[in-house]
Amino acid sequence: MCRIMSLKSARSFLAGIVLIALFQAGLFALEPPRPGEIEKYRSDGTLQQRIEFAKSLRNHKVSNNLAFRLDGRLNGEASMAPPLGWQGMPTTGNVKILAIMIGFNDYPPNTDTELVYGRMFGDGPGTFPYESLRNFYFRSSYGLLEFSGDALGWYVTPYPRSSVQESTTGRESLIKEVLNHYDEMGHDFSQYDNDGDGTIDYLVVIWTGPDNGWANFWWGYMTSFQDSSFKLDGKRLGGYSWQWESNPEGGKFSARVVIHETGHALGLPDYYDYDDWTGPSGGVGGLDQMDGNWGDHNCFSKMLLEWLTPQVVTTGFSSPVLSPTSEAPEALLVMPEAKAGEQFAEYYMIQYRRTTENDVVYPNDGLIVWHVDARTDTGGYDFLYDNSYSSHKLLRLMEADGLEEIEQNKWADGGDFYTEGYSIGPQTAPSSSRYSSLPSGIQMDSITEAGDTIGCSLSLPSSAVTLTSVQKLKNPFRLVVSGTGIQEGAKAVIGTDSAYWPTASFQNGSITLEKGKKLKKKFRIGSTVKIMVVNPDGSAGTITYKR
């Protein structure tokens, strides 16, 4: 889904979204409404109908293929075959995609085919850094991903656009009509199945004419082809974007919307807030390609896409130096208990954003600090958090100036960059605390820019926590967690809880979790549950317990 709004007051919109498991197929997206549209639809009585349509276009979650690949890569698997439920396209290599351009006899196209091709697969022309889809992603991936392909059209129907049935069947019938036309001309569609799974990985559908409002048929969104019996050269259709030639109507095609929609095709979620009435507000303040169509993808997204492997920092004092992530695959992943292979967890990520390459449009140079909570549910199938509907965000932009304007649905600005004189730690605002309100012990300060790099001082607790056993006590039910490095005043977080367990006592280097029946309900028979013990200095350790 792609932002086209520019007013701070229009940073979020009302839309219901159904949560889906990571192993459920489908990539879906919906462009947000323009300022004032929600009020208009509430007045004319069409809002609920539009919300119901929006509920069927689900895309605030990271896709299954990215999560699957990340899990294997962090656990040391250098090369992986796609899972059986793989949906989407490869995130590296030379990837071929197809764009089809559809006009109508009452809405002829305004853009030459050559210009569409240039802005998809060539060098533009266009406004940098959005001059073309290919160039943007080649820079963003550090040359690891290069798009090529074809732009077929314009195919102009002999009938008016009003003849198209405004339904899934109508949309797919139109697409079939166009694709069958080029199939009869001998076009080879098998070349767009890049991973050999029998599916055309990504289809871009561009149509002419005006939109008919947010969350309606003639709007911009991404969905997946429902008719699995329709094949071209033995290949099914998978995910496809459905978007206008220009908005407002009458202009030339721009690559900016398709750059964002292609982020969804690669598996990335939206980071803006769908519904200001539910969950956290403000998204990431627009400061990302998957929020405000603004600049490059962030370091967390690049880690998911296999373009960047962060340096993991867990203890002690260090003085890291970073190059801009717009130019080099460098970032930090910081948390006392962080371990390779266990990055489906809560942590901070730090990257240097400089106004070069895809970030040339940003309002400042400096360090960007992200608070990430990538924990999964007990089954490991779905991320617990997103930027719309959960109790806190999957990805939060920490605002260096402490004004918390993003949480008030305002846009990010230059004051959110950590530059010389700014710091983040246990006592700053915002602080480096965990979402459980327990400390992480992370302190970042002494920021210094030097030419093309930036340095800082980074400190974490020097002590370590190693948990070795969990003993069950009866009458009432209690758990004694033992190990080395547990400090008096330590707290415990059970499973996927976002708060620490309220009743615990410390004795002889162990922590005893109490509360009888309430505690017992946290540990279902046969289930393995993680217990994290966090010390007052932020050091932490984890252990699992199976009742």
Side-chain angles (χ1 to χ4, degrees):
M1 292 178 248
C2 169
R3 285 182 183 268
I4 57 173
M5 296 177 286
S6 60
L7 299 177
K8 290 183 177 181
S9 62
R11 282 196 41 81
S12 59
F13 66 93
L14 289 172
I17 296 293
V18 179
L19 299 178
I20 57 172
L22 288 177
F23 284 89
Q24 186 175 356
L27 301 171
F28 305 85
L30 173 71
E31 297 211 13
R34 289 175 289 248
E37 279 194 313
I38 291 298
E39 291 76 13
K40 172 186 175 183
Y41 302 142
R42 184 180 289 113
S43 297
D44 67 18
T46 65
L47 179 60
Q48 188 58 42
Q49 171 189 333
R50 294 171 188 270
I51 288 176
E52 291 304 315
F53 181 82
K55 286 180 179 179
S56 68
L57 303 174
R58 307 163 297 201
N59 201 51
H60 61 302
K61 289 288 187 180
V62 177
S63 80
N64 59 318
N65 56 322
L66 292 191
F68 189 94
R69 290 170 68 91
L70 176 64
D71 185 43
R73 183 160 51 90
L74 295 178
N75 280 288
E77 298 180 36
S79 179
M80 300 175 57
L84 294 177
W86 183 280
Q87 294 288 320
M89 59 183 168
T91 62
T92 60
N94 190 317
V95 177
K96 285 189 172 184
I97 62 176
L98 174 64
I100 59 173
M101 300 170 285
I102 308 174
F104 304 92
N105 69 4
D106 53 345
Y107 292 112
N110 296 297
T111 312
D112 293 338
T113 301
E114 293 75 14
L115 181 58
V116 176
Y117 181 88
R119 290 180 174 176
M120 289 287 297
F121 308 116
D123 295 319
T127 303
F128 189 88
Y130 315 116
E131 76 278 14
S132 76
L133 175 73
R134 184 198 68 177
N135 287 0
F136 181 93
Y137 277 95
F138 191 79
R139 290 188 296 264
S140 185
S141 67
Y142 316 108
L144 295 175
L145 174 64
E146 184 170 12
F147 286 119
S148 61
D150 298 290
L152 301 181
W154 291 87
Y155 175 92
V156 180
T157 67
Y159 48 81
R161 200 179 75 165
S162 58
S163 297
V164 178
Q165 180 184 347
E166 295 188 7
S167 65
T168 298
T169 299
R171 186 173 59 243
E172 294 191 358
S173 294
L174 176 62
I175 293 171
K176 290 177 188 178
E177 176 185 334
V178 177
L179 293 177
N180 283 331
H181 169 77
Y182 290 106
D183 187 43
E184 292 171 0
M185 295 176 66
H187 191 80
D188 177 18
F189 292 93
S190 65
Q191 61 186 307
Y192 309 115
D193 177 9
N194 295 277
D195 51 16
D197 67 349
T199 300
I200 294 172
D201 296 311
Y202 180 35
L203 172 67
V204 177
V205 181
I206 303 165
W207 42 263
T208 61
D211 67 79
N212 58 354
W214 172 71
N216 216 326
F217 186 81
W218 298 108
W219 190 247
Y221 45 88
M222 186 170 175
T223 185
S224 61
F225 209 78
Q226 300 300 304
D227 185 356
S228 60
S229 66
F230 180 72
K231 294 184 179 181
L232 296 161
D233 298 316
K235 306 295 181 180
R236 300 180 301 274
L237 291 181
Y240 66 95
S241 63
W242 173 264
Q243 60 189 71
W244 45 69
E245 176 190 14
S246 66
N247 196 317
E249 179 209 0
K252 303 294 185 182
F253 172 78
S254 166
R256 194 159 184 177
V257 170
V258 76
I259 286 170
H260 176 98
E261 295 301 329
T262 300
H264 290 307
L266 289 166
L268 295 176
D270 281 319
Y271 292 125
Y272 66 86
D273 181 19
Y274 285 14
D275 187 346
D276 192 33
W277 292 4
T278 304
S281 297
V284 299
L287 198 78
D288 188 72
Q289 181 54 222
M290 301 312 292
D291 186 335
N293 294 39
W294 191 10
D296 206 354
H297 293 291
N298 65 74
C299 58
F300 175 67
S301 291
K302 291 192 178 193
M303 180 177 70
L304 292 177
L305 293 166
E306 302 182 75
W307 301 342
L308 178 155
T309 300
Q311 176 186 345
V312 179
V313 183
T314 61
T315 187
F317 178 84
S318 60
S319 300
V321 175
L322 292 172
S323 299
T325 47
S326 57
E327 301 175 6
E330 298 179 11
L332 304 174
L333 190 156
V334 187
M335 190 61 91
E337 69 278 6
K339 297 177 183 178
E342 294 185 7
Q343 273 116 316
F344 290 110
E346 181 184 359
Y347 43 82
Y348 285 86
M349 294 192 79
I350 303 170
Q351 64 179 135
Y352 178 28
R353 307 301 287 263
R354 188 166 179 244
T355 49
T356 62
E357 302 294 341
N358 287 349
D359 283 344
V360 71
V361 291
Y362 275 179
N364 203 354
D365 297 341
L367 293 173
I368 290 291
V369 179
W370 302 102
H371 192 172
V372 179
D373 195 343
R375 288 181 291 167
T376 58
D377 59 23
T378 54
Y381 293 112
D382 199 0
F383 284 99
L384 285 171
Y385 301 101
D386 55 69
N387 275 29
S388 289
Y389 291 97
S390 49
S391 58
H392 61 255
K393 297 176 183 180
L394 165 68
L395 186 68
R396 179 188 175 194
L397 176 62
M398 308 302 287
E399 299 177 51
D401 57 17
L403 297 178
E404 299 295 353
E405 292 175 310
I406 293 173
E407 309 308 307
Q408 302 170 46
N409 280 323
K410 297 180 180 179
W411 284 85
D413 56 35
D416 300 326
F417 291 67
Y418 284 83
T419 56
E420 186 174 349
Y422 282 104
S423 63
I424 185 171
Q427 304 302 320
T428 61
S431 75
S432 60
S433 296
R434 305 165 188 268
Y435 277 116
S436 62
S437 77
L438 298 176
S440 71
I442 297 169
Q443 177 77 33
M444 183 192 76
D445 51 30
S446 302
I447 299 169
T448 305
E449 287 192 69
D452 294 336
T453 61
I454 193 169
C456 66
S457 294
L458 193 60
S459 63
L460 285 84
S462 57
S463 57
V465 179
T466 302
L467 305 182
T468 56
S469 67
V470 180
Q471 179 186 3
K472 180 179 72 173
L473 302 179
K474 298 181 179 180
N475 300 321
F477 180 86
R478 289 158 292 161
L479 293 177
V480 181
V481 183
S482 302
T484 60
I486 302 176
Q487 303 167 359
E488 186 169 3
K491 304 290 186 181
V493 178
I494 299 172
T496 60
D497 288 358
S498 58
Y500 61 84
W501 189 248
T503 308
S505 60
F506 173 83
Q507 186 175 11
N508 299 325
S510 299
I511 183 172
T512 301
L513 308 184
E514 303 167 346
K515 208 73 172 177
K517 291 182 179 180
K518 289 186 178 180
L519 178 64
K520 195 173 186 178
K521 289 180 180 179
K522 291 286 184 180
F523 299 89
R524 296 181 179 178
I525 295 176
S527 297
T528 299
V529 179
K530 180 185 288 187
I531 301 173
M532 175 184 289
V533 174
V534 181
N535 281 328
D537 68 356
S539 57
T542 61
I543 192 171
T544 58
Y545 173 70
K546 185 175 182 180
R547 180 173 158 228

